[in-house]
Amino acid sequence: MSNRTFKRSVLSSTIAVALSAGFAQNVIAEEKSSADAEMEVIQVKGIRASTVKAINVKRFAPSQVDGIASEDIGKLPDVTISDSLQRITGVQVERTAGEGGPVQIRGLPQVDSTLNGEVFLSATTIDSSGADFGDLPAQLFSGVDVYKTSESKRSAAGISGSIDLKTRRPFDMSEGWTTNVSADVTQGSISDEADPNINGLVSYNADKWGVLFSAVTQEATLATDYNGYFDTSENGGIGAANNNFTWGQNPQGNDIRHVVPQGFAAFNKQEKRERQGYQFAFQTDLSEGFELVFEAFYTDQERFNERQGLSQNNRWYSFNDYAFPTDSGWTGDTFTDKDGNPWGAVNDFYLKPWRLQTFTQVNNNYETSTNLNLELNFNNGGPLSGQVRATRAKADASMRHGYGEGDLLSIDQGTLVTGPGQFAPSEYCSGQDAVGDQGGCYAQFSPGGIEDDSFLLRYDARGESPVFSGFDQMVNGGQGLMSIADYMGSLDSYHIGAFSSEGNTDDEGEINTFSTKWNYQFDDMPFVTSVDFGVRYMERKVDHDQFTYTSEFGDGCDIAQWKAVDQYHTEKTCTGNKAAGEFLTEDVGDLTAGTWVPYTLLNPTRLDTHTTVSQISNFGSVKGIPTMWAIDPSNFRDPRQFHLDTFGNVQRTENAGASYDVKLNEFSYFAQANFEWEMIRGNFGMKVVETDLYVKQNLAGSNLPHSGLGPDIGDVVTERSYTDYLPSLNVTADVTEDVIVRGAYAKNMQSLDLASWGGGKTVGKAIDGSCNCLRVKNGTLTGNPALNPWRSDNYSLSAEWYNGDASMMFLSLYRIEIESFTESGTVEIDEPDDDGISRGPWPFSTQVQGKGGDVTGLEVGIRAAMSDYTDIAILNNFGIDANYTYSDSKQEKKDVFGNDLPFVGMSKDTYNFVLWYEQEEFSTRLAWNSRSPRLITQGSDAVGRQSLYQDTYSQLDFSATYHATDYLDIYLHGSNITEEVQQTYLEFSSQKAFRNEYESRWTLGVRATF
């Protein structure tokens, strides 16, 4: 590298342009004409070169920034953007399907994302204000910058910081043609699938104009084994957990309360993904200082998220008499709730046989996004330079849900929930007594199922891996006396419990921006060297529709979302309808002859009647589960067609309480002064953001039968405006040539996820024997237009020592005082059950306004290339990158002992250690990341307000590259090579909730650059 001496006033611009072209796209370079004269072309390739580039981004930035630079075209350091970001101090990531997903900076997820300096739309974050790069191929990006302090001239928002993704432009490339192509194949240790990936770039730089096109096409099969509390959401949860006093006095005689999950499960999750991404850029020098840039960025992704496995649950019939501790089940952890009730933690349960089943769930996701950018840049070497820019972004995301379950327990006789079975038409009455005027009967729904109510299964989570047991017990049933395991292994044991397709969504999002920003440089003004000023307008719109595929029954007298054996025709609308039921010809139990009896919605159906099935037996490390039969996930790739074929008709029925429209318009303007005096430099400024908010929510009427759907009975429109004044100050002291001290202050603001403003009320109900009706169990209020955005005062102080070309050390201290935020809360609502009787109140989860939180912490790290310190041959090809982040937060919410809870998603400690080796022909890298327990959510009063945490999680990744020729590389990458487990617990580390066992994934590929 050249050892030229630069003027410090132009050094920042020179490095930003020469070493980080993407960073220069975001900042109008000061004194560009002088910098251009000094610039040299530097080709970035390899670990050391990318480290040098990232270090210089941090060193010469006017604020506190950390960067990631690609090691070669199409090669960020890790497989995903989020996995690369987790190496940066202060950054934490959550894992989705084992890959890095949502990102937090300094413990908070209120992070804005930009593309080449301007806001953009990702199909996985249409209504979100956070950072999640799930649909963005990492191969299309040249680097990522993480901004931890604010500047008035930057368009990005964010409470704790912002992330800027950088793509390549033609003028970033060498003159003439540049071509890069890469092909690899990835295999997972659980999925055992070989997934191909092909990506490439072609660019032509003709000096005065250039074009660039890059593309990625890839497939991935990401597999995870799950076990613990029954919850089929993305990463699991505590679901509808309650306690042993819910719905009545505890019949076991316990005085101590304990958590009772709705069920326990073990299943395999697979996400099958097909993704394409394309980037096009055109750049031309129009002369006279004008430059025109046009860019298009497009992604298209299909994700098929499948779950298949075991569920042993309470069938929504009982919490207080479902799961109770074994003699060794209490962990010894205790507390007293706000009402004075004693609680204990349990990790080993006996389970009553209310329901034993297999289930299959598929979420089919279709996601596309298009981002367009047109900008005119001006710099003729004079004091005034600037930019006019317009962007347009559009994204669409659709999800289609399919669900089916196979029950092993008889609903006809002999079990806790039965006797006799539901009423069915005559064609299902072979061998059964006809008791209806059309030959109908109480049919055998489970002719081969288990008929026993006295056995107990066991779930023991005391060890490293949970153990299910009790399947060797002998039970009676339709196939005679044999073990529970033998019944589970026989296809004749299963009948369909339910089919549904609910929670389907259609999302459309759009963002349009227009901005102009300018910089004026002063030749001889003391202290202030230049000023930045500009205006920006942003229009953001989201249309979110949620719906269910329902079917009509009884010649149209009834409509149902849950097509289930425990759902029967609504008497109010169907009494006397021959297609919906019959009049009894004799007395049956408490019913007298002449009584009209409705049919069940789902008649007796074997597991394999409408579907293909498969045997399942492997759920990872969980022990004791026999081989079972379940619906094959392929049956639900088109849920609408499946329900049409199975039930003869299907309708799209809107869920009014979960559908909304939100429009967010922001008009902002800023002025920023840049200063330099002796060893001090920096900037101060003010940005004003005027926000207009429009929210249209649907009023939801009474729930339709056999569903959680409330029809749309009108609209509620809320319009409000607010203005934020956001000052910022960044001061940098060049203490020596290699030591820099920085201080910063800013007021920050971040809009909420739009669902927090727009969503309505949804009510969860389940069949309950005590009222023979659908009974409210919980609910959700997802939207509140009166909520304020996140607002904070941020303080930061850092010291940096640059002690080599590829080496540095740093220490940062920060404090974030959060003035306004939202947090998950619970309100009690006395929602009536389907029979009109109110038996509540019941807990409804919602977002509430929080106040008075803060985050304090420190970041410390070192990047060291051994060649910067020694000439010893055995050492000078090695390097390390190690850092640690401490984040401590508090808010008004308390844990069960009255201590302050941290913010959701925050870990107190985060560690990174990277060891790399590089020489001319070969390079390799080991990267370890670890984060301490993080808060997932605080529970409701139903679980004593115990909080759900993810336990400490660590992951080790590996990569190696062999430079076969000047043009050809062969590479190997291993992700999660030690197959780590995400373990969660409820309040106490011994009270284990659930665990995701992630697979290791290995990638072998070749890359050629010409």
Side-chain angles (χ1 to χ4, degrees):
M1 180 177 289
S2 171
N3 291 320
R4 296 175 182 174
T5 299
F6 293 93
K7 294 180 180 179
R8 187 168 298 280
S9 61
V10 301
L11 195 55
S12 174
S13 300
T14 303
I15 297 297
V17 175
L19 295 183
S20 186
F23 179 77
Q25 294 166 10
N26 304 336
V27 181
I28 300 173
E30 299 179 20
E31 304 184 28
K32 183 175 183 295
S33 59
S34 299
D36 288 344
E38 300 281 4
M39 225 188 322
E40 58 180 314
V41 176
I42 299 175
Q43 294 293 336
V44 176
K45 188 168 183 176
I47 299 174
R48 180 187 169 93
S50 68
T51 300
V52 171
K53 183 176 179 180
I55 285 176
N56 279 288
V57 166
K58 183 178 184 70
R59 181 173 189 171
F60 299 110
S63 59
Q64 294 180 27
V65 181
D66 284 292
I68 298 168
S70 62
E71 297 173 14
D72 195 0
I73 297 173
K75 186 181 186 299
L76 284 180
D78 294 274
V79 173
T80 71
I81 298 169
S82 294
D83 284 333
S84 289
L85 283 169
Q86 73 179 342
R87 314 295 176 199
I88 291 178
T89 50
V91 175
Q92 300 170 343
V93 304
E94 296 180 24
R95 301 207 159 265
T96 303
E99 284 188 341
V103 175
Q104 299 94 36
I105 297 177
R106 292 176 168 173
L108 297 174
Q110 287 66 40
V111 175
D112 203 6
S113 300
T114 57
L115 180 65
N116 297 323
E118 184 54 270
V119 66
F120 73 106
L121 259 183
S122 163
T124 56
T125 55
I126 286 179
D127 61 356
S128 171
S129 297
D132 184 352
F133 310 113
D135 66 330
L136 302 180
Q139 295 85 349
L140 296 181
F141 298 94
S142 62
V144 187
D145 287 336
V146 177
Y147 293 88
K148 298 176 181 176
T149 62
S150 298
E151 287 185 82
S152 297
K153 68 180 181 180
R154 287 207 303 266
S155 62
I159 290 298
S160 55
S162 63
I163 296 172
D164 186 41
L165 307 179
K166 302 183 294 185
T167 60
R168 292 177 173 82
R169 289 179 173 177
F171 288 176
D172 301 334
M173 317 302 291
S174 301
E175 287 191 20
W177 289 97
T178 301
T179 304
N180 173 277
V181 64
S182 175
D184 57 51
V185 62
T186 301
Q187 185 165 346
S189 59
I190 299 177
S191 64
D192 204 31
E193 295 282 343
D195 300 317
N197 170 68
I198 300 174
N199 65 86
L201 174 147
V202 59
S203 172
Y204 181 71
N205 181 355
D207 188 28
K208 290 294 185 179
W209 64 274
V211 293
L212 180 149
F213 178 75
S214 57
V216 177
T217 179
Q218 58 187 192
E219 296 179 8
T221 305
L222 308 171
T224 305
D225 289 319
Y226 175 99
N227 49 72
Y229 292 1
F230 183 39
D231 188 298
T232 61
S233 55
E234 184 63 53
N235 281 333
I238 60 174
N242 273 268
N243 64 79
N244 56 329
F245 281 79
T246 299
W247 292 354
Q249 180 66 32
N250 174 252
Q252 300 297 325
N254 292 330
D255 294 325
I256 299 176
R257 283 168 163 76
H258 62 79
V259 171
V260 178
Q262 194 264 331
F264 297 86
F267 54 86
N268 179 263
K269 301 190 290 185
Q270 287 200 1
E271 178 162 296
K272 299 178 179 180
R273 183 174 66 205
E274 300 172 4
R275 179 164 66 188
Q276 291 81 42
Y278 308 96
Q279 183 222 351
F280 172 80
F282 171 78
Q283 194 171 10
T284 181
D285 183 349
L286 299 175
S287 73
E288 303 298 329
F290 288 96
E291 177 193 66
L292 182 68
V293 179
F294 172 75
E295 294 171 299
F297 191 93
Y298 175 80
T299 64
D300 186 343
Q301 177 171 265
E302 295 183 358
R303 294 184 296 120
F304 306 103
N305 195 300
E306 304 172 352
R307 288 155 168 73
Q308 184 186 42
L310 166 75
S311 169
Q312 200 280 358
N313 60 72
N314 68 356
R315 203 186 180 96
W316 298 111
Y317 269 71
S318 173
F319 281 99
N320 59 352
D321 194 27
Y322 162 52
F324 53 92
T326 67
D327 291 339
S328 57
W330 299 97
T331 70
D333 300 295
T334 62
F335 69 94
T336 301
D337 67 20
K338 59 184 178 60
D339 298 320
N341 300 307
W343 286 74
V346 178
N347 214 16
D348 186 8
F349 292 90
Y350 284 125
L351 313 176
K352 282 198 168 184
W354 290 95
R355 175 174 266 174
L356 180 62
Q357 63 181 185
T358 60
F359 75 95
T360 301
Q361 174 180 297
V362 179
N363 290 337
N364 305 281
N365 298 272
Y366 308 93
E367 299 154 341
T368 64
S369 66
T370 302
N371 288 269
L372 305 176
N373 173 59
L374 180 65
E375 63 184 67
L376 181 66
N377 300 312
F378 171 73
N379 190 331
N380 66 354
L384 182 67
S385 60
Q387 178 190 82
V388 179
R389 184 175 189 180
T391 67
R392 180 174 177 81
K394 184 175 176 57
D396 300 277
S398 299
M399 192 279 287
R400 300 295 183 266
H401 168 88
Y403 179 83
E405 55 193 27
D407 285 0
L408 283 149
L409 299 180
S410 173
I411 63 169
D412 307 324
Q413 56 190 1
T415 59
L416 293 175
V417 299
T418 58
Q422 298 289 350
F423 200 71
S426 58
E427 57 264 37
Y428 298 96
C429 295
S430 176
Q432 305 301 306
D433 295 334
V435 295
D437 62 348
Q438 301 173 65
C441 66
Y442 286 93
Q444 284 193 344
F445 279 71
S446 319
I450 296 173
E451 299 172 3
D452 195 305
D453 63 1
S454 60
F455 67 91
L456 293 175
L457 297 181
R458 184 174 179 178
Y459 175 81
D460 183 358
R462 292 174 299 165
E464 182 177 348
S465 300
V467 177
F468 285 84
S469 60
F471 299 104
D472 56 346
Q473 297 173 77
M474 303 300 290
V475 293
N476 290 310
Q479 300 176 67
L481 184 66
M482 58 185 189
S483 70
I484 299 170
D486 287 339
Y487 269 98
M488 295 173 72
S490 170
L491 182 58
D492 293 333
S493 303
Y494 295 81
H495 70 275
I496 293 293
F499 289 123
S500 72
S501 177
E502 56 190 286
N504 303 303
T505 57
D506 281 331
D507 287 320
E508 294 181 359
E510 185 177 318
I511 296 179
N512 300 305
T513 73
F514 176 84
S515 62
T516 181
K517 59 175 78 173
W518 297 86
N519 173 266
Y520 189 86
Q521 299 183 40
F522 303 106
D523 288 334
D524 52 9
M525 179 178 288
F527 189 65
V528 175
T529 59
S530 67
V531 293
D532 290 284
F533 53 94
V535 298
R536 176 176 177 268
Y537 176 77
M538 182 190 74
E539 175 189 62
R540 182 176 183 184
K541 298 184 289 187
V542 170
D543 183 351
H544 174 80
D545 292 328
Q546 188 185 106
F547 63 93
T548 288
Y549 286 134
T550 60
S551 295
E552 291 184 351
F553 293 87
D555 285 343
C557 72
D558 215 348
I559 186 172
Q561 163 185 319
W562 299 317
K563 296 94 170 182
V565 294
D566 54 11
Q567 302 287 304
Y568 43 88
H569 284 294
T570 305
E571 296 186 36
K572 182 178 180 180
T573 55
C574 294
T575 297
N577 187 323
K578 293 184 177 181
E582 302 181 24
F583 291 96
L584 293 179
T585 57
E586 58 186 74
D587 296 343
V588 179
D590 295 334
L591 301 176
T592 59
T595 302
W596 187 82
V597 180
Y599 296 141
T600 183
L601 290 182
L602 185 64
N603 291 309
T605 308
R606 278 177 56 97
L607 186 67
D608 56 353
T609 297
H610 300 295
T611 63
T612 56
V613 296
S614 56
Q615 278 191 308
I616 52 176
S617 58
N618 188 356
F619 304 104
S621 67
V622 63
K623 298 178 177 62
I625 301 176
T627 297
M628 301 175 292
W629 289 89
I631 298 170
D632 193 272
S634 61
N635 291 275
F636 299 140
R637 279 296 176 89
D638 187 345
R640 183 187 185 283
Q641 190 63 46
F642 174 82
H643 283 259
L644 178 62
D645 294 342
T646 303
F647 300 104
N649 70 92
V650 64
Q651 299 85 35
R652 171 175 170 147
T653 303
E654 300 294 324
N655 186 357
S659 300
Y660 55 84
D661 295 301
V662 176
K663 296 179 183 178
L664 182 72
N665 294 338
E666 288 183 353
F667 178 69
S668 60
Y669 40 96
F670 73 89
Q672 176 176 302
N674 307 295
F675 59 86
E676 184 173 351
W677 181 68
E678 296 185 351
M679 72 176 191
I680 304 297
R681 55 189 168 91
N683 56 73
F684 59 91
M686 172 70 76
K687 178 164 63 175
V688 181
V689 183
E690 300 176 357
T691 304
D692 294 322
L693 179 66
Y694 169 93
V695 180
K696 186 183 80 171
Q697 297 171 289
N698 299 321
L699 290 173
S702 299
N703 278 12
L704 299 173
H706 322 296
S707 74
L709 299 172
D712 185 355
I713 59 173
D715 297 329
V716 174
V717 173
T718 302
E719 296 184 74
R720 53 184 294 232
S721 300
Y722 51 86
T723 300
D724 286 274
Y725 298 89
L726 307 174
S728 67
L729 170 66
N730 290 274
V731 179
T732 299
D734 298 309
V735 179
T736 71
E737 189 71 22
D738 298 322
V739 176
I740 298 174
V741 176
R742 303 179 193 268
Y745 164 77
K747 278 187 173 292
N748 289 348
M749 182 271 288
Q750 172 85 349
S751 295
L752 306 181
D753 290 350
L754 302 189
S756 298
W757 280 318
K761 179 174 70 176
T762 56
V763 181
K765 296 183 179 182
I767 189 70
D768 185 76
S770 64
C771 66
N772 202 26
C773 67
L774 280 170
R775 180 170 169 177
V776 176
K777 62 180 187 294
N778 53 38
T780 303
L781 299 173
T782 55
N784 180 357
L787 291 173
N788 292 321
W790 281 65
R791 296 185 173 111
S792 68
D793 288 272
N794 293 40
Y795 305 85
S796 186
L797 179 67
S798 69
E800 304 156 11
W801 179 28
Y802 297 89
N803 52 359
D805 289 341
S807 303
M808 69 165 298
M809 300 177 185
F810 62 91
L811 171 68
S812 298
L813 304 174
Y814 60 88
R815 179 175 177 82
I816 305 173
E817 297 178 353
I818 303 176
E819 172 190 342
S820 170
F821 63 95
T822 63
E823 59 187 4
S824 59
T826 302
V827 296
E828 298 291 323
I829 297 179
D830 195 6
E831 187 78 14
D833 297 328
D834 265 21
D835 60 0
I837 299 176
S838 295
R839 297 177 173 86
W842 298 106
F844 279 63
S845 59
T846 187
Q847 290 290 303
V848 297
Q849 198 78 61
K851 296 180 180 179
D854 62 70
V855 181
T856 58
L858 67 85
E859 302 166 351
V860 59
I862 178 174
R863 283 183 162 179
M866 293 297 104
S867 59
D868 286 339
Y869 306 103
T870 179
D871 290 327
I872 300 175
I874 197 172
L875 294 178
N876 61 12
N877 291 328
F878 282 94
I880 63 170
D881 184 356
N883 59 64
Y884 165 73
T885 303
Y886 172 81
S887 288
D888 187 25
S889 68
K890 62 182 180 180
Q891 53 171 312
E892 289 184 340
K893 277 192 171 183
K894 309 296 182 182
D895 65 14
V896 298
F897 297 108
N899 302 315
D900 293 329
L901 277 174
F903 281 98
V904 170
M906 177 171 289
S907 292
K908 183 168 287 188
D909 305 293
T910 307
Y911 306 86
N912 281 290
F913 182 80
V914 178
L915 175 66
W916 56 267
Y917 172 86
E918 184 175 54
Q919 44 101 331
E920 187 173 345
E921 294 86 12
F922 176 76
S923 63
T924 187
R925 175 176 172 266
L926 272 174
W928 176 76
N929 173 267
S930 180
R931 60 183 301 185
S932 62
R934 71 176 176 92
L935 176 64
I936 299 176
T937 184
Q938 185 185 34
S940 67
D941 288 338
V943 294
R945 306 201 70 79
Q946 297 181 75
S947 297
L948 179 66
Y949 292 88
Q950 173 188 297
D951 210 345
T952 298
Y953 180 84
S954 304
Q955 181 165 309
L956 182 64
D957 300 328
F958 166 83
S959 63
T961 301
Y962 172 62
H963 308 291
T965 72
D966 289 341
Y967 308 104
L968 182 67
D969 292 342
I970 301 171
Y971 56 89
L972 176 68
H973 183 89
S975 177
N976 189 29
I977 61 177
T978 54
E979 299 184 337
E980 295 298 324
V981 172
Q982 180 205 50
Q983 177 68 62
T984 68
Y985 58 87
L986 198 59
E987 195 63 46
F988 307 101
S989 59
S990 61
Q991 187 171 231
K992 299 174 183 177
F994 62 87
R995 54 193 264 140
N996 286 297
E997 299 177 3
Y998 297 135
E999 65 179 351
S1000 62
R1001 293 180 62 78
W1002 290 92
T1003 300
L1004 178 64
V1006 295
R1007 179 183 299 106
T1009 304
F1010 306 97

